[in-house]
Amino acid sequence: MNRVRINELLQRPEAGGEVTIHGWVRTCRHSKGFSFLEINDGSIIHNIQCVVDADVPNYDRDVKALQTGASVRVTGRLVDSPGKGQRFEIQAKDVHVYGNAEGYPLQKKGHTMEFLRSIAHLRARSNTFGAVLRVRNVMARAIHDFFQSRGFVYLHTPIITASDCEGAGEMFRVTTLDAGDPPRAEGEIDFAQDFFGKPTSLTVSGQLSAETAALALSDVYTFGPTFRAENSNTTRHLAEFWMVEPECAFFDLDDDVALAEAFLKHIFSTVLSECPDDMDFFNKRIDKTAIETLRHIVESPFERMSYSDAIEILSKSGKSFEFPIEWGLDLQSEHERYLTEEHVKRPLVLTDYPRDIKAFYMRQNDDGKTVAAMDVLVPKIGEIIGGSQREERLDRLQERMKEMGLPEEDYWWYLDTRKFGTAPHAGFGLGFERTIQFCTGMANIRDVIPFPRTPGSAEF
Ligand code: ATP
Ligand code: MN
C-alpha cells in the first residue's frame, strides 16, 4: 500500500506534495461544510489533523459518520497548518473508511489506569500506552546495543526448567498430567509419568544456564521472560516479567557494579536522546521530574555502600518504619526507598549482604557472614538490579548447598563448571519493567507491559 507514517511526515523539512496516511481517528469535529479529523498511527505521539471538505464524494455517507476509533486512509496535500501546536495538516481529497467504531470504549480523556487495564487490548491506542510501548521498544534495543557493542553473546536460556534457581520455591509448575486424576505411585504423584519424567517449572531466572555459557564464552547476556508465582500484589511485581541477565567470566564484584552503572546510564541516555516526544509527554502528564531525574542520573556517579553501613544509617535515621531494622534481616522496599530517595538522593549500590538472606550461589566473603552480593536501588522503585559475584570454589559451594539442603544430584551440571576450569565470575539481573517504570514515571508495573500477568489475572 502507498503509505507514509505520521512520524516521517512530521519530520519533513517543509510542507508540499500529496501524501497518503493510514491510522485511527482520535477525534473528529464536524462543522458546516467540512470536518476535522485527528489521525494517529502509533508511529509518534502526535496526531496529524486532516481537513475534509464536504465536496469529497463520500462525505455524507462516510466522513460525517466517522467516530473516534475508526480506521481510515486519507490522501491529500500536506500544507502548513494555520492552527496552533502543529506544523502541518492534510487537506484531504480522498477518505477511505476501513472500519467505523460504534461504541468504542476509549474516548478522548479522563480514563483511569485501572479502566485502561480492563481494555488492555485497546489501550495501545491511548497516548500513554502508545508512548510506553515505543519507549519499551527503544529500551530493548538499547539493551542489545549495549551488550553487542561490548562483544557479549546473546544467549537463549530455557524457559522450562527442572531447577529452582533462587531456591525460593515460588515457581509455576509445568505439567501435562491430568490435574484431576494424576498418576500415583505409593500415594504420591508420579512425576516419572509426566512429560519430562520429573517435576518441571517455568524459570525464575536464566542465571545458572548463563553461568555455564559465561564459563565458555566469557561474556554473555540473556533477555527474556521469567516467571514468579509470588503472591505479591504490589506495584512492582508481575508474575511474568522480562529480565536481562549479563554474566561475565574473570569478573569480580567491583567489575559487576561498574557494568551495572554503565548499563543503566546507557539505557537512560538512549531514552532521553531517542524518545524526546514520548519523554516530554511523560514529563507533562505522568511525572514532572521524569526527564530531570534521568539527566541527573546519567551525569552523576552512583553511590555505593555496604549492607552493614546501610543498617546503621537506617537505625540512626529517626524514621519510623513498618518493618524492623536489624543486621541480618532483609531490607524492605520502605528501607530501600529511604536510602536512595532521601539519604543519597540518587541510585545506590548496596553490597555485601548477610549470606543467610541470599542465594546459595553467591560468593562468600572472608568475614564468614556476608556474601559478595550487590543490589542497585533507585528512587521511587527501590531494587531494580540484583547481582553478585558467584561462588567459584567447589568446596565452598558444596558446603553452602549442604547447609541449605540443596541436593547435589539436582545441580550436578552446575557443580561440573566448578570442577572443570572454574573461574571467578559475576553477573546480575535487571528487571526490564521496573526500568521502564523508572524512565517513564509510570506508577504501576501493570502499565508498562502489554498484557500483565498478576495473581488472579491472565486476561488477554
Ligand atoms: P524484590 O525483592 O523486589 O522482590 P528480588 O530480590 O526478588 O526483588 P531478584 O531475584 O534479584 O529480585 O531479581 C532481579 C530483578 O528482577 C530485580 O532486581 C527486579 O528488578 C526484577 N524483579 C524481581 N521480581 C520481579 C517481579 N515479580 N516482577 C517484576 N520484576 C521483578
Ligand atoms: Mn522478589
Side-chain angles (χ1 to χ4, degrees):
M1 283 190 194
N2 169 23
R3 163 163 89 96
V4 50
R5 289 211 188 97
I6 292 170
N7 65 339
E8 196 261 302
L9 268 193
L10 295 180
Q11 278 157 19
R12 288 196 177 174
E14 56 195 27
E18 186 176 286
V19 296
T20 297
I21 57 140
H22 298 238
W24 292 267
V25 173
R26 280 295 176 82
T27 56
C28 41
R29 279 183 293 130
H30 306 289
S31 47
K32 228 173 162 205
F34 52 90
S35 297
F36 291 109
L37 311 178
E38 292 272 340
I39 309 295
N40 188 282
D41 67 0
S43 62
I44 189 168
I45 194 149
H46 307 298
N47 305 327
I48 189 141
Q49 175 164 282
C50 301
V51 187
V52 192
D53 241 48
D55 57 15
V56 165
N58 56 344
Y59 185 80
D60 286 325
R61 194 190 63 203
D62 292 341
V63 178
K64 272 181 88 171
L66 274 176
Q67 294 169 315
T68 296
S71 46
V72 294
R73 179 190 69 214
V74 178
T75 301
R77 271 187 69 74
L78 187 68
V79 298
D80 288 314
S81 176
K84 261 210 289 210
Q86 62 209 8
R87 283 178 61 213
F88 304 135
E89 61 185 35
I90 295 174
Q91 259 166 10
K93 66 165 219 234
D94 179 71
V95 177
H96 173 73
V97 179
Y98 289 104
N100 213 345
E102 180 71 36
Y104 184 60
L106 197 64
Q107 294 301 322
K108 191 160 162 53
K109 336 187 143 70
H111 296 310
T112 63
M113 294 295 166
E114 289 75 14
F115 173 74
L116 291 172
R117 232 171 274 149
S118 76
I119 51 163
H121 58 306
L122 296 172
R123 68 178 179 170
R125 295 197 209 165
S126 68
N127 281 333
T128 306
F129 288 94
V132 163
L133 295 182
R134 283 185 299 269
V135 168
R136 187 178 166 112
N137 169 64
V138 166
M139 289 174 68
R141 188 158 49 76
I143 286 164
H144 284 296
D145 284 347
F146 178 85
F147 290 119
Q148 293 293 333
S149 70
R150 281 169 173 72
F152 283 61
V153 173
Y154 177 29
L155 179 75
H156 303 97
T157 50
I159 284 172
I160 299 173
T161 174
S163 63
D164 175 356
C165 177
E166 297 293 317
E170 292 173 324
M171 305 183 81
F172 290 100
R173 183 56 58 78
V174 172
T175 179
T176 51
L177 296 180
D178 176 359
D181 182 24
R184 289 179 189 274
E186 293 159 21
E188 304 274 295
I189 294 177
D190 184 14
F191 285 104
Q193 294 186 47
D194 202 349
F195 190 91
F196 296 105
K198 54 158 102 170
T200 48
S201 310
L202 296 178
T203 187
V204 295
S205 157
Q207 181 198 316
L208 300 191
S209 324
E211 282 187 56
T212 68
L215 292 169
L217 304 169
S218 293
D219 300 295
V220 301
Y221 71 105
T222 71
F223 186 1
T226 48
F227 307 85
R228 297 198 184 173
E230 49 194 0
N231 207 350
S232 15
N233 253 312
T234 77
T235 55
R236 296 166 304 107
H237 288 91
L238 290 165
E240 175 178 312
F241 65 100
W242 285 63
M243 189 144 63
V244 183
E245 295 180 282
E247 191 71 36
C248 304
F250 316 110
F251 222 58
D252 63 19
L253 192 69
D254 292 338
D255 298 324
D256 208 27
V257 170
L259 182 72
E261 177 168 346
F263 178 48
L264 286 173
K265 285 180 170 174
H266 174 79
I267 298 175
F268 299 156
S269 63
T270 305
V271 167
L272 283 173
S273 64
E274 294 189 19
C275 307
D277 295 342
D278 291 327
M279 283 309 298
D280 251 8
F281 171 83
F282 289 119
N283 208 60
K284 282 201 189 91
R285 299 294 188 78
I286 305 292
D287 175 359
K288 301 247 179 297
T289 63
I291 291 179
E292 184 197 312
T293 307
L294 289 185
R295 283 215 182 104
H296 173 64
I297 286 172
V298 169
E299 283 156 16
S300 46
F302 288 12
E303 192 78 32
R304 183 169 165 173
M305 185 188 290
S306 72
Y307 164 91
S308 300
D309 287 346
I311 290 293
E312 201 162 315
I313 287 164
L314 287 166
S315 18
K316 288 184 181 154
S317 69
K319 283 273 209 192
S320 64
F321 294 108
E322 187 186 338
F323 292 93
I325 300 150
E326 192 186 311
W327 200 97
L329 297 182
D330 209 355
L331 297 179
Q332 301 297 322
S333 123
E334 56 173 351
H335 307 134
E336 297 176 343
R337 291 189 56 175
Y338 169 80
L339 291 166
T340 172
E341 277 170 37
E342 297 184 48
H343 189 75
V344 301
K345 298 190 169 67
R346 52 182 151 145
L348 170 63
V349 188
L350 282 190
T351 62
D352 305 297
Y353 282 73
R355 60 177 213 156
D356 292 334
I357 57 172
K358 289 290 183 186
F360 75 95
Y361 51 72
M362 297 194 180
R363 192 176 197 277
Q364 301 192 50
N365 288 330
D366 292 339
D367 62 12
K369 297 189 303 189
T370 61
V371 285
M374 64 100 170
D375 277 4
V376 180
L377 316 178
V378 293
K380 287 178 254 186
I381 306 288
E383 180 186 335
I384 196 168
I385 282 181
S388 65
Q389 184 170 343
R390 322 304 189 190
E391 183 58 81
E392 85 283 11
R393 298 162 296 187
L394 179 65
D395 53 336
R396 306 295 290 271
L397 186 60
Q398 285 170 319
E399 209 177 280
R400 194 74 191 118
M401 287 174 65
K402 203 164 174 185
E403 281 170 6
M404 296 176 74
L406 299 172
E408 281 194 22
E409 313 86 82
D410 291 358
Y411 294 88
W412 66 273
W413 53 274
Y414 187 69
L415 290 166
D416 263 7
T417 59
R418 273 61 171 176
K419 290 177 189 160
F420 308 129
T422 191
H425 62 289
F428 61 78
L430 167 87
F432 187 43
E433 284 76 17
R434 287 195 194 170
T435 315
I436 303 169
Q437 277 188 279
F438 184 71
C439 283
T440 58
M442 294 294 287
N444 197 315
I445 197 165
R446 293 168 176 81
D447 301 330
V448 296
I449 189 164
F451 299 113
R453 268 77 181 103
T454 52
S457 167
E459 188 72 20
F460 308 108

